[in-house]
Amino acid sequence: MKKDFSLLTVALPSLLIAFPSFAIESEIKQRNTDKSLRLISDIPSLSEIELPATNAELLTQQSAPNEVNPETQPETEQTPSDEPDISIEAIAEPDNLPQSTPTYVINQEEIKKQGAKSLADILKRMPGFAINDVGHGADIHTGTYYRGASINQSVFLINGRPINNNVNIYHGGTDLNSIPVEAIERVELYSGTASALYGSSAFGGVVNIITKSGYGKPKLSASAEFGSLSLNNQQVTYGGSSANVKYNFSFERFFTDNRYRVPVGAANRDNQGFLSNADTATSTYFGSIGLDLDQKNSLNLDVSQFSSRRGLIYFGFPLQRDRLDHDGLNVGLSWKTRLGNGESSNIITSIGYNQDYFSTYGPTGAFYRTGALDTQQLTARVEHDWKVTSNNKLRWGLDLKNTDLTGDVLSTDPSRIANNETEDKSLFNTALFAVNTWNISEDFLIDLGLRQSFDSQFGNYLNPSVGLRYAVTPVVAVRGSWAGGQRNPGLDQLYVYDTVHGWEPNPDLRPENGSTWSAGVDVNFSENLIGQFTYFGSSIGDRLGVIAGKWANIGLVDTNGLEAALQLKIAAGWSTFLNYTYTDSQIKTGSEKGLQLGLIPYSVLQSGVGYQNAGWQANLYVTYNSGARRSIFANPSDKATDFAPSFVNLDLSGRIPLTSNLGLTLYLENLLGEQYERVNRIYSPGFTFRVGLSSNF
């Protein structure tokens, strides 16, 4: 297998330099009637790809230009179609997203096939991602990385609104379980020039969670699952439309004790030999209502509420038993106005409210400690999408964001009592953004982006971006992008003492600054085989870290990597996909100079093959992980150069139709039964299973 990976790393550069977009259907067609804006090539722009089964449209929940009234739409079958959809989809709205940068999309049908329990599960099979979570978000030390960038170096959105707060340390990181999976219509992943639209901190990329919108007659769907590790999960959704109103409501409840035997030497191992303090209980609620006021105006309101109680898995030794309570609320209201006929000029205005309450607490021998971070964030956005001429599209607007953070820490440890405090801090950020797309010719386009930010803490800064796409031949197209970025320290890193780790804040921290780039080629090998290949890189200076127990700017990290995404249509009812990512994130300064950034594997390969017919489904997934460098609270006997061993994981999912409205689902995870080390002395449970029922009425 190692030989195969070596061949991949040699072969990828020879395919030019590539920016991937992964299409899954062999029948690819133009999706916009205005073909003067399309590249004339058999290799479609990502924005030109349509998947008839999903027909996903604009990022906001409103009618597409050619969409008929939902009341007149034919009913769709609830049983899966006979054309499988196992691979990562590539769909996007051409008038909304820069075409020089591909958009990876995974839709609801594929999410169900994979048996995803959280957003982390959804992302782990998308190109470029390394997800190290253990259990259902029980471990948030381990982290999520996209192209070598941490979770807080990417931007996470729900229906185009930010859900990241200005909190950065481990117990305040973006929680990938805060949206019920049952409420998700699809998840979109952008990078490059698109980052100018949503924030300068998108060194990794932009993850946009698009939630369901009701259509047609009211429908009720529900599922219940039970499995290993005391897992039980219930989901229910009700949605539909009536006249000019669309609605959808979802609820999800999840629990697992995540308790299993682990080897001697494992982190978080209790005196009985079990993984300790890794249980998770979550409840999530979601609701949306859309209203078409008239032919040119529409409103949409969505609300999500999240509550979790979990243990914190700790990398260090000896065992610690800190707990984490997290409660979140996200509310958004958007209004779309068409200024002209059709979709040539639209204004979208949105306001949002996001609250996150994190509370960590736990005993440490004879002492007790607590730390609470309460963040409230108000956002507003006005955006104008304008087709200036037949060859020129402009997307520009204004972002406003106000963040209030209350940090309250307390410890009974005599050595930490002096740090007990309550901090109340605020931050205001304004940004002007614009992305302009010029079609220089039928085969060549350029995207130019600018984002000018005005920050009450870090002043004014400009982040430019540029991208291009050129159809060299009818079967080969090249694309590339470059973007500058700045990620500001979190208010907690600046002002709030971390009573769990004993880390001191530092009000003199500087922002992380740098740039990201990529170049790529899309190749249409045949009618049934499409490949996208990417070289990507980034250089991020003033990286934030901890020195001698205090937050500091500790140096430079340079990242270079390769991505390959292949899709093969074997025959009717069958489909396959393969994603491979190589990531070299090298520390350039400080005591760890020359080492790979901790917790990021060099190689990750994901592949799958699926078959479905008449409601029957079977999907086999394989994951290869080369192992990541151990760091952060590792065993004292571990060396700074030690890597966790590589591993291979096999998962099998299936569905058996019992009636026209009822199906039996089965998920067998880690078929090889290997208790491999995921990361930093945290081990997998070995073979586990889930079985459940899903219904639609």
Side-chain angles (χ1 to χ4, degrees):
M1 182 170 288
K2 291 183 179 179
K3 182 179 179 181
D4 295 336
F5 293 122
S6 298
L7 291 175
L8 264 175
T9 59
V10 172
L12 291 179
S14 67
L15 290 169
L16 306 179
I17 14 189
F19 207 141
S21 59
F22 191 36
I24 89 167
E25 296 289 332
S26 62
E27 182 181 352
I28 300 176
K29 59 183 180 180
Q30 299 289 350
R31 63 178 299 189
N32 194 304
T33 56
D34 184 4
K35 299 197 177 170
S36 64
L37 295 181
R38 298 298 179 266
L39 302 180
I40 307 302
S41 169
D42 289 343
I43 300 239
S45 165
L46 203 58
S47 59
E48 299 167 349
I49 297 172
E50 182 184 54
L51 298 175
T54 56
N55 199 27
E57 291 294 341
L58 299 180
L59 302 187
T60 52
Q61 298 175 11
Q62 40 78 39
S63 297
N66 298 322
E67 184 179 304
V68 296
N69 190 308
E71 290 292 338
T72 66
Q73 288 182 328
E75 291 293 315
T76 57
E77 284 294 325
Q78 296 300 322
T79 56
S81 66
D82 289 340
E83 288 301 314
D85 197 25
I86 191 174
S87 53
I88 301 301
E89 301 174 6
I91 53 178
E93 173 56 41
D95 294 329
N96 277 6
L97 295 173
Q99 298 182 46
S100 61
T101 305
T103 300
Y104 296 113
V105 177
I106 183 169
N107 78 349
Q108 179 192 17
E109 183 180 356
E110 175 62 16
I111 292 170
K112 289 183 176 180
K113 286 182 182 180
Q114 294 180 3
K117 306 181 295 296
S118 65
L119 181 59
D121 283 345
I122 296 172
L123 294 176
K124 72 181 181 182
R125 289 194 173 100
M126 299 186 81
F129 269 97
I131 308 289
N132 299 322
D133 289 344
V134 178
H136 186 73
D139 178 12
I140 53 177
H141 277 100
T142 51
T144 297
Y145 299 89
Y146 178 60
R147 292 183 176 178
S150 70
I151 192 171
N152 286 314
Q153 291 171 325
S154 294
V155 172
F156 285 77
L157 311 169
I158 178 171
N159 299 324
R161 298 189 319 275
I163 56 175
N164 297 64
N165 51 43
N166 194 247
V167 175
N168 282 274
I169 56 178
Y170 77 96
H171 56 306
T174 302
D175 197 310
L176 299 184
N177 308 286
S178 57
I179 305 297
V181 173
E182 185 64 26
I184 297 175
E185 178 65 31
R186 65 188 188 274
V187 176
E188 304 175 339
L189 173 60
Y190 324 136
S191 56
T193 312
S195 63
L197 297 172
Y198 295 110
S200 62
S201 61
F203 286 116
V206 178
V207 176
N208 194 10
I209 305 162
I210 307 299
T211 56
K212 291 181 181 178
S213 179
Y215 290 97
K217 294 180 180 180
K219 295 181 179 67
L220 175 68
S221 61
S223 65
E225 280 185 355
F226 300 90
S228 305
L229 311 179
S230 302
L231 180 146
N232 66 82
N233 183 23
Q234 298 84 43
Q235 301 183 28
V236 61
T237 293
Y238 180 74
S241 64
S242 176
N244 59 342
V245 179
K246 307 171 187 177
Y247 52 90
N248 189 81
F249 305 97
S250 299
F251 167 75
E252 179 178 3
R253 176 187 177 275
F254 182 93
F255 173 79
T256 179
D257 65 12
N258 214 26
R259 180 171 170 79
Y260 52 88
R261 289 195 176 276
V262 291
V264 174
N268 242 59
R269 185 178 189 267
D270 65 17
N271 55 14
Q272 295 178 318
F274 287 87
L275 183 70
S276 174
N277 198 45
D279 58 288
T280 296
T282 65
S283 296
T284 53
Y285 303 83
F286 173 81
S288 71
I289 298 177
L291 177 63
D292 293 328
L293 301 176
D294 53 42
Q295 291 184 344
K296 292 191 173 184
N297 292 275
S298 59
L299 286 173
N300 191 85
L301 172 69
D302 63 78
V303 180
S304 59
Q305 190 274 337
F306 169 76
S307 179
S308 79
R309 301 294 180 262
R310 67 185 64 174
L312 280 178
I313 295 178
Y314 185 66
F315 283 168
F317 301 83
L319 177 68
Q320 296 193 24
R321 297 181 180 273
D322 290 287
R323 305 290 298 177
L324 171 64
D325 294 350
H326 177 200
D327 297 298
L329 174 65
N330 189 284
V331 182
L333 178 66
S334 63
W335 172 27
K336 178 177 179 178
T337 301
R338 297 177 177 85
L339 298 183
N341 296 323
E343 293 287 333
S344 61
S345 182
N346 300 312
I347 289 182
I348 302 174
T349 304
S350 62
I351 57 175
Y353 172 76
N354 188 49
Q355 181 180 25
D356 275 302
Y357 177 79
F358 295 91
S359 176
T360 56
Y361 52 92
T364 55
F367 306 113
Y368 189 81
R369 61 192 178 202
T370 65
L373 297 174
D374 187 1
T375 307
Q376 299 186 61
Q377 195 171 81
L378 286 172
T379 62
R381 180 181 177 96
V382 180
E383 177 182 312
H384 184 201
D385 298 342
W386 182 23
K387 187 165 69 176
V388 183
T389 69
S390 61
N391 295 319
N392 190 3
K393 292 181 291 185
L394 175 65
R395 186 176 179 183
W396 66 287
L398 171 69
D399 274 333
L400 301 173
K401 181 170 64 177
N402 186 80
T403 306
D404 294 312
L405 172 67
T406 300
D408 191 358
V409 297
L410 171 68
S411 176
T412 60
D413 186 337
S415 65
R416 299 187 179 186
I417 288 178
N419 293 297
N420 292 345
E421 62 173 348
T422 298
E423 292 281 356
D424 191 353
K425 299 294 181 180
S426 295
L427 183 70
F428 184 72
N429 183 280
T430 304
L432 296 169
F433 61 87
V435 174
N436 203 10
T437 298
W438 285 279
N439 286 78
I440 306 301
S441 70
E442 291 181 337
D443 299 322
F444 184 52
L445 66 82
I446 294 178
D447 294 314
L448 294 178
L450 289 174
R451 188 175 184 89
Q452 175 67 54
S453 299
F454 307 89
D455 193 277
S456 63
Q457 181 79 34
F458 296 101
N460 307 334
Y461 47 95
L462 177 69
N463 299 112
S465 60
V466 61
L468 59 86
R469 184 181 190 274
Y470 177 57
V472 181
T473 73
V475 297
V476 176
V478 294
R479 58 163 64 97
S481 68
W482 176 92
Q486 174 170 320
R487 184 177 80 100
N488 299 328
L491 289 172
D492 51 339
Q493 294 170 309
L494 292 166
Y495 301 112
V496 182
Y497 177 70
D498 181 354
T499 186
V500 175
H501 298 108
W503 294 342
E504 296 182 10
N506 183 353
D508 298 321
L509 292 174
R510 299 182 301 276
E512 296 177 336
N513 278 283
S515 59
T516 63
W517 55 88
S518 67
V521 59
D522 302 339
V523 184
N524 190 0
F525 294 106
S526 70
E527 181 182 356
N528 296 324
L529 178 61
I530 297 174
Q532 282 81 32
F533 306 91
T534 298
Y535 160 74
F536 62 86
S538 66
S539 182
I540 303 176
D542 281 329
R543 182 173 61 95
L544 294 171
V546 177
I547 299 178
K550 185 175 182 177
W551 282 101
N553 295 98
I554 62 175
L556 173 69
V557 174
D558 283 348
T559 298
N560 290 276
L562 296 168
E563 280 179 3
L566 297 170
Q567 183 270 331
L568 173 64
K569 183 71 174 288
I570 303 173
W574 291 86
S575 65
T576 66
F577 78 91
L578 183 147
N579 299 322
Y580 172 75
T581 305
Y582 175 83
T583 307
D584 180 9
S585 291
Q586 190 174 125
I587 301 171
K588 292 295 186 180
T589 58
S591 60
E592 295 185 336
K593 181 179 179 180
L595 297 180
Q596 172 83 339
L597 200 63
L599 312 183
I600 300 177
Y602 279 112
S603 292
V604 175
L605 181 144
Q606 304 133 339
S607 185
V609 58
Y611 176 76
Q612 63 185 47
N613 184 29
W616 294 76
Q617 286 183 6
N619 305 283
L620 180 66
Y621 301 94
V622 59
T623 299
Y624 167 82
N625 187 302
S626 65
R629 185 172 73 88
R630 298 189 185 115
S631 66
I632 311 176
F633 318 123
N635 193 318
S637 63
D638 291 338
K639 299 178 182 178
T641 55
D642 286 349
F643 274 70
S646 62
F647 63 85
V648 174
N649 183 79
L650 289 176
D651 297 331
L652 177 67
S653 68
R655 181 183 187 275
I656 301 172
L658 302 178
T659 70
S660 60
N661 294 320
L662 184 66
L664 176 68
T665 57
L666 179 66
Y667 303 98
L668 306 178
E669 298 169 324
N670 196 350
L671 292 174
L672 300 178
E674 179 185 357
Q675 196 167 25
Y676 51 79
E677 181 182 348
R678 285 180 181 265
V679 64
N680 253 41
R681 301 291 184 186
I682 302 292
Y683 291 82
S684 74
F687 172 77
T688 59
F689 72 91
R690 290 181 285 139
V691 62
L693 293 173
S694 61
S695 60
N696 297 280
F697 302 98

